[in-house]
Amino acid sequence: MTTAEGSGAPKDTAEPLLVLSNITKRFPGVLALDGVDLDVRAGELHVLFGENGAGKSTLINVISGTFPPSSGSFRFAGRDVGELSPSEARTIGISPVFQEFSLVPSLTVEENLFLGRESATGGFLDTRAMRHRARELIDELGFDLDPKARVDRLSRAHQQMAEIAKALLGKVKLLILDEPTASLTERETGRLFELIAKLKSQGVGIIYVSHRMREIRALADRVTVLRDGRHIKTLKAATVTDGELVELMTGRRIDVLFPTITHTPGTPAIEVENLTTADGQVAGVDFVARAGEITGIAGLVGCGKSELVRAIYGIEPVAEGTVRLRGETIEKLDPRSSLRRGVAYFPASRGAEGLALTRPIRENVSMAALDLPRYQRGGVIRQFAERALVKPIMETLKLRPPNIERAVGNLSGGNRQKVMLGRAMARDLDIFLFDEPSVGIDVGAKVEVYEFIKRLVEQGAAVVVVSSELPEVLALSNRLYVMHHGKIAALLEGDQRTEQNVLSSFFEEEKREKAA
Amino acid sequence: MSDVNLAAPADPSTVKAPDEKRSLGTEWLRQLALPIAVLLLLGGFGLADQRILSTYNLLNIAQQTSYLALFAMAQMVVILTRGFDLSLGPTVSMVSVGAALSMAAMGGADANGLLVVVAAILGGFALAGLCGLFNGIVVAFLGVSPLVATLGSMNITLGVATTISGGRPVQGIASSFASFFYTGTVFGLPAPIVIALVVGLVLYVVLSRTVFGRSLYIIGTNPQAAAVAGIPVKRLLVYAYMLCSGLAALGALMMTARTGSGQPNLGGTLSLQSIAAAVVGGTSLAGGRGGVGSAVLGALFITILSNGMNLTRIDGYVQMIVLGAIVILGVVIDRLRLETR
C-alpha cells in the first residue's frame, strides 16, 4: 500500500496530523457534538471510546467529510480544512472504514476496490493492471480473500476485509477504523493488528473506534473518551485502567461486566441429532441444551454456529437430522411454530432481521405475540391491552426515555436490543437462542443484557448463547460447544472451559480435517 | 450493527435524542401538504371557471373520486407490502364483462331483484379473487418481483376479458344492479359515494386495528424481521393481493353499473392512475407507509385535476402529459422523503 512519506516515530514537537478544536455538530434540534477537541499524531493509534450515541460516529463522519461541522476548526496535515467531501477527504489521505459497508454487492472485490478510481488507458479499463494491483494489495494485507469473488457472495468477515483493503488502496495518511474486528475471526484480527503496527511504523495516524478492552489494551497509544457529544478526557493508554475508562464513558461505576450465574441444569430442552443444513454450513451436528443453564457455542465466523441456532428456530432450511424440543420430535421447523413452542431467537443483525425501524417500539415488542388472545380478539388488536402489556415490559428493561410510541429507528444499539428482549417477554417462552447478544452495544447495555440472561436462566429457562467473543461465551456458559467448519469440535464443561482449550480445539479439528 | 450510517447525516442512531417537536412539525406539514394542494387546485380552477365550484360539479367530483379512491385503496394495500398491481386495470375489465355475462345468464335486462345482483357480484369477485390469488402466489411463493408478476397477469387478465366477451360490450345489465351500484341513494348520497365511504371506513379499521393490517405494515417495513417474528409473510402477501383485486372488483361493478354494459376495455389506464393516486397521496413505494386517508386524498387530487382540466378545456393529450408528470413527481417526492428520513 502507498502510505505517507516520512518515516518512523511520531514527533511530539511537530504539529499533529489531525487537529480538531471545538468541533460542534448540530442536527436540527440535536447537539450531536459539543465543542469536541481531538488531535491525532502521525504514527499514532488513537482510540475513540464512548457509549452508543456519545458522538463517535458523528465525529468520524465529520473527519471523513460525510457532513461538515457546524462550527470549530479542522486542521489536517498542517493545513486548514474547509468544506470537505468524502472524495476530497480520500484525496488528501483520510480513509475511513465504516461499519456499514460501502461496497456494491453485485460487483467483485477488485471492481469495488477501484470503484470511482478505475485505471484506464484511452478510455478502456485497464483490467489487468487493476487485477494485478488488487492481488498485490490483498496479498500484502495477508487476507484470505478472492479478488474475483462477488461481494454479495462473501461472508460479513470477508466483506470487512474487502472494505479495509479498499480503504488502503490509495495514499493513506489517516485511517479511520470503526469497530473493524466486529466480524473478524481471531486469526484475521491478528492479521489486522499486524497490519496496523506496520501502518503505524510508516507514519499513518489511525483513529480506532472500539468497545473491546482487549483491543484497546493491545493497540492504543491514547484514548479519547466521549460522552453525550462532549469530550470527556484524553488519556495515555498505558497508564489508564479498564475501570477508569468505563467509568469515564458511562459516568458511573461498573464493577463487574459478567454477572455470577447459578446454573441448575435440568432436563434437556433442545436435542439435536445429526443436523445438516441445506447450505451445508452445519454438517452432522449433535447438540444438547438443558433447562436452567446457559449452553454456549463458540467458533470462528462462518463456522456454522449461527446457522445451527437459526436452523433450530426454523429460518435455516434443514437437509437432514432431527430436532427434539423437551423430548418431542419436531417435524416442521418455522418461526411461528417455534414461538408457539416457547422458543425465541435473537438475531445478530437487529437492523436487518430484528426490527421494523420506522414502526413504534410498541409494535416491535408485540409483533411476535399478536397471535395470543391477550393481544387480539378475532384478529382485532386489543389496543389498550397491548399498551398495558408492553409498557411495563419496557419499564422493567429500563428503556430510556420510557416512551413506547417512538420509532425504533431513533434508538441507540442498546435500546434496540432492549426492544428485542422486550419482544421475548411479550409471550411465555422458555427456550432462548441468542445470536451475538452484545454485538454493537455499549458496556452499560451489555451488562443489562447479561443480567437479563441471568434472570432467564435462574428462572429455569434454557438459554443458548452463540458468540464470536470468547470472553463472553466463556463467562456466561455452563457448557460450551466449540464449532469448526460446521462440526462440533469440542464440548467443554467445568474447568475445561478456558480460552486455551477453545483455541486448541480449533487447531485439533483443523489437523483432523487435514489428516482425513 | 447499524450504528453508523454514512448515507444519512441525520441518522438518528448517531444522535442522542431526536427532537420530537421537529418531527412532529414536519409530520404536520407532511399531513397537510396534500389537503392544501387539493384546496389550492380547486380554488385555482374556480377562478378560471365559476362552474367548477358549483354544487352540481362538486357532487360530480365526489362521485368520480369514489371510483378512483377504491382503486387507489386497492393499490395502496399491496404497495404497503412493497408491491403494486399492474393488472388492476385489466382486472376491472375482466370483472366488468364477467359480471355482465353472469347477469345475462340469469336473464339479462329483464330479470330483476336481488338474485341477479348477487350473481353478478359472485361472478365478478370469483374472477378477481382468482387473479389476486395468482398474483399473490407468484409474488410470495415463487419469489417473482411484483413488476414482472403483475405485468404478466396484466396480459392474462386482458386476454381473458377480451376472450369471454368476444371483444364486444356485453349488454343486459339488470336495473336492480344499476340501482344498487349507481342510481340508488342513501340519505340523498349517490350509491358510489356511499360504497366508497363504507369501504374506506372498513379498510381503515382493518389496516389500523387488526393483526392483518398491522402485519402488512411490518412486512412492508422489514420483511425479514417480520418472518423472524413469526408473521406468516407469504400467506399474508397472498391475502393482500386478493384484497387488492377484490377492491378493484367492487370498483369494476360500480363502473359497470354506470356504463350500463360489460366493457372489455373498461380498465384502460386505471393501473397507472391508481398507482399515481396512491403515491401522490403519500403511500411509499418502499413499503410500510401509507393509509386509507392518503389513498383517498390522492384520488381526490387527481380527480379534481382532470375535472378542472376538462372544464377549462385543456386538450386531452396535454392532460395525459400532466398526469404522467404527476406520477413521476409523486415518486420523486417519495424518494426525497425517504432520503431525508
Side-chain angles (χ1 to χ4, degrees), chain A residues 267-287:
Chain A
T267 52
I270 308 172
E271 293 161 281
V272 169
E273 258 172 51
N274 194 29
L275 187 83
T276 300
T277 54
D279 61 5
Q281 291 272 34
V282 178
V285 163
D286 295 330
F287 170 88

Side-chain angles (χ1 to χ4, degrees), chain A residues 184-298:
Chain A
L184 296 188
T185 67
E186 295 282 327
R187 193 185 306 166
E188 289 154 2
T189 301
R191 289 236 182 86
L192 178 70
F193 286 7
E194 284 169 26
L195 176 73
I196 286 174
K198 199 156 101 190
L199 290 169
K200 279 175 64 177
S201 74
Q202 291 167 342
V204 175
I206 298 171
I207 295 176
Y208 194 99
V209 178
S210 179
H211 290 131
R212 298 185 182 183
M213 285 297 173
R214 224 163 37 147
E215 294 176 7
I216 297 171
R217 285 277 157 255
L219 299 170
D221 295 308
R222 286 189 297 160
V223 182
T224 288
V225 182
L226 298 177
R227 189 172 72 223
D228 298 336
R230 281 193 303 274
H231 175 263
I232 299 299
K233 208 168 185 182
T234 298
L235 313 112
K236 282 215 164 63
T239 55
V240 68
T241 66
D242 290 4
E244 278 177 76
L245 278 180
V246 171
E247 202 179 322
L248 285 171
M249 172 181 84
T250 56
R252 61 182 189 271
R253 289 185 74 108
I254 292 179
D255 295 326
V256 273
L257 185 54
F258 298 110
T260 320
I261 298 171
T262 321
H263 302 270
T264 44
T267 52
I270 308 172
E271 293 161 281
V272 169
E273 258 172 51
N274 194 29
L275 187 83
T276 300
T277 54
D279 61 5
Q281 291 272 34
V282 178
V285 163
D286 295 330
F287 170 88
V288 176
R290 292 176 295 185
E293 68 170 356
I294 300 179
T295 310
I297 310 179

Side-chain angles (χ1 to χ4, degrees), chain B residues 49-322:
Chain B
D49 189 333
Q50 289 288 320
R51 282 176 302 163
I52 287 170
L53 294 178
S54 68
T55 321
Y56 171 79
N57 190 50
L58 288 180
L59 202 64
N60 184 23
I61 287 177
Q63 187 155 346
Q64 280 179 21
T65 302
S66 49
Y67 300 97
L68 188 55
L70 267 180
F71 300 127
M73 285 191 265
Q75 204 63 260
M76 180 266 298
V77 169
V78 284
I79 296 179
L80 279 185
T81 71
R82 300 189 173 184
F84 46 76
D85 184 2
L86 291 177
S87 70
L88 184 139
T91 302
V92 168
S93 308
M94 182 174 76
V95 168
S96 175
V97 281
L101 285 171
S102 320
M103 274 184 278
M106 296 285 295
D110 304 330
N112 265 320
L114 203 59
L115 205 59
V116 191
V117 180
V118 171
I121 292 175
L122 286 182
F125 277 98
L127 282 169
L130 278 175
C131 182
L133 185 66
F134 178 84
N135 284 338
I137 287 174
V138 173
V139 169
F141 287 94
L142 304 182
V144 177
S145 82
L147 174 75
V148 177
T150 61
L151 198 60
S153 62
M154 176 175 103
N155 268 5
I156 297 174
T157 35
L158 193 60
V160 171
T162 319
T163 310
I164 59 177
S165 65
R168 284 180 300 276
V170 180
Q171 303 299 335
I173 300 299
S175 60
S176 56
F177 178 81
S179 120
F180 189 87
F181 284 110
Y182 183 54
T183 52
T185 56
V186 179
F187 299 123
L189 279 177
I193 298 179
V194 175
I195 295 173
L197 283 177
V198 170
V199 168
L201 209 63
V202 171
L203 187 62
Y204 174 80
V205 172
V206 166
L207 288 181
S208 60
R209 298 287 155 90
T210 67
V211 177
F212 171 69
R214 169 83 59 88
S215 303
L216 290 189
Y217 282 98
I218 292 174
I219 291 170
T221 310
N222 187 344
Q224 263 175 300
V228 170
I231 293 173
V233 175
K234 294 179 178 178
R235 187 152 48 90
L236 295 188
L237 276 179
V238 174
Y239 293 165
Y241 278 92
M242 290 181 72
L243 179 57
C244 170
S245 297
L247 291 172
L250 188 59
L253 295 176
M254 286 157 56
M255 282 179 75
T256 306
R258 184 179 67 176
T259 321
S261 57
Q263 295 282 349
N265 55 4
L266 189 66
T269 58
L270 275 179
S271 296
L272 196 64
Q273 269 191 47
S274 58
I275 294 175
V279 171
V280 166
T283 307
S284 171
L285 285 175
R289 271 169 186 254
V292 169
S294 64
V296 172
L297 269 177
L300 189 62
F301 179 81
I302 288 187
T303 309
I304 291 176
L305 193 64
S306 25
N307 175 274
M309 289 194 295
N310 279 335
L311 288 184
T312 48
R313 297 211 188 77
I314 290 173
D315 181 74
Y317 297 108
V318 176
Q319 291 195 23
M320 283 173 72
I321 297 172
V322 172

Side-chain angles (χ1 to χ4, degrees), chain A residues 22-35:
Chain A
N22 207 16
I23 292 285
T24 297
K25 178 68 195 175
R26 210 181 300 273
F27 292 115
V30 185
L31 197 56
L33 291 175
D34 185 1

Side-chain angles (χ1 to χ4, degrees), chain A residues 62-300:
Chain A
V62 165
I63 298 170
S64 45
T66 313
F67 40 71
S70 310
S71 68
S73 99
F74 182 164
R75 283 175 70 77
F76 183 73
R79 273 198 297 269
D80 278 314
V81 176
E83 284 282 302
L84 188 69
S85 73
S87 69
E88 282 160 4
R90 277 183 199 272
T91 316
I92 61 172
I94 300 176
S95 207
V97 179
F98 291 102
Q99 282 179 36
E100 296 282 316
F101 295 151
S102 63
L103 304 170
V104 179
S106 59
L107 296 182
T108 65
V109 171
E110 57 188 23
E111 284 165 341
N112 265 293
L113 289 186
F114 288 93
L115 198 68
R117 46 185 168 179
E118 289 84 355
S119 347
T121 25
F124 290 96
L125 289 180
D126 193 349
T127 318
R128 190 180 302 173
M130 286 193 285
R131 182 157 297 165
H132 183 71
R133 181 77 191 95
R135 182 82 270 169
E136 207 177 64
L137 177 67
I138 289 166
D139 286 349
E140 202 180 335
L141 297 176
F143 287 160
D144 165 28
L145 184 64
D146 176 8
K148 289 198 280 290
R150 266 178 61 146
V151 165
D152 54 3
R153 307 253 161 81
L154 296 177
S155 68
R156 215 185 135 77
H158 284 100
Q159 292 181 2
Q160 175 80 71
M161 291 181 222
E163 192 73 42
I164 291 172
K166 186 179 166 191
L168 291 173
L169 184 67
K171 185 159 107 38
V172 177
K173 285 184 187 156
L174 177 68
L175 180 67
I176 301 172
L177 297 169
D178 189 2
E179 298 212 36
T181 56
S183 53
L184 296 188
T185 67
E186 295 282 327
R187 193 185 306 166
E188 289 154 2
T189 301
R191 289 236 182 86
L192 178 70
F193 286 7
E194 284 169 26
L195 176 73
I196 286 174
K198 199 156 101 190
L199 290 169
K200 279 175 64 177
S201 74
Q202 291 167 342
V204 175
I206 298 171
I207 295 176
Y208 194 99
V209 178
S210 179
H211 290 131
R212 298 185 182 183
M213 285 297 173
R214 224 163 37 147
E215 294 176 7
I216 297 171
R217 285 277 157 255
L219 299 170
D221 295 308
R222 286 189 297 160
V223 182
T224 288
V225 182
L226 298 177
R227 189 172 72 223
D228 298 336
R230 281 193 303 274
H231 175 263
I232 299 299
K233 208 168 185 182
T234 298
L235 313 112
K236 282 215 164 63
T239 55
V240 68
T241 66
D242 290 4
E244 278 177 76
L245 278 180
V246 171
E247 202 179 322
L248 285 171
M249 172 181 84
T250 56
R252 61 182 189 271
R253 289 185 74 108
I254 292 179
D255 295 326
V256 273
L257 185 54
F258 298 110
T260 320
I261 298 171
T262 321
H263 302 270
T264 44
T267 52
I270 308 172
E271 293 161 281
V272 169
E273 258 172 51
N274 194 29
L275 187 83
T276 300
T277 54
D279 61 5
Q281 291 272 34
V282 178
V285 163
D286 295 330
F287 170 88
V288 176
R290 292 176 295 185
E293 68 170 356
I294 300 179
T295 310
I297 310 179
L300 307 175

Side-chain angles (χ1 to χ4, degrees), chain A residues 27-28 30 53 57 66 99-100 156 178 313 335-336 339 351-353 355 358 362-363 368 379 381 383 386 406 416 440, chain B residues 1-4 6 9 12 14-18 20 22 209-211 214 221-222 224-225 227-230 232 341:
Chain A
F27 292 115
V30 185
S57 312
T66 313
Q99 282 179 36
E100 296 282 316
R156 215 185 135 77
D178 189 2
Y313 184 64
R336 198 174 176 78
L339 286 165
E353 289 193 334
L355 301 164
T358 54
R362 171 176 48 81
E363 292 183 13
I381 294 171
Q383 293 190 307
E386 188 193 19
R406 291 176 72 199
R416 288 183 188 191
Chain B
M1 306 265 321
S2 55
D3 294 313
V4 178
L6 66 166
T14 64
V15 187
K16 264 193 338 216
E20 312 251 327
R22 182 190 78 96
R209 298 287 155 90
T210 67
V211 177
R214 169 83 59 88
T221 310
N222 187 344
Q224 263 175 300
V228 170
R341 204 163 66 207

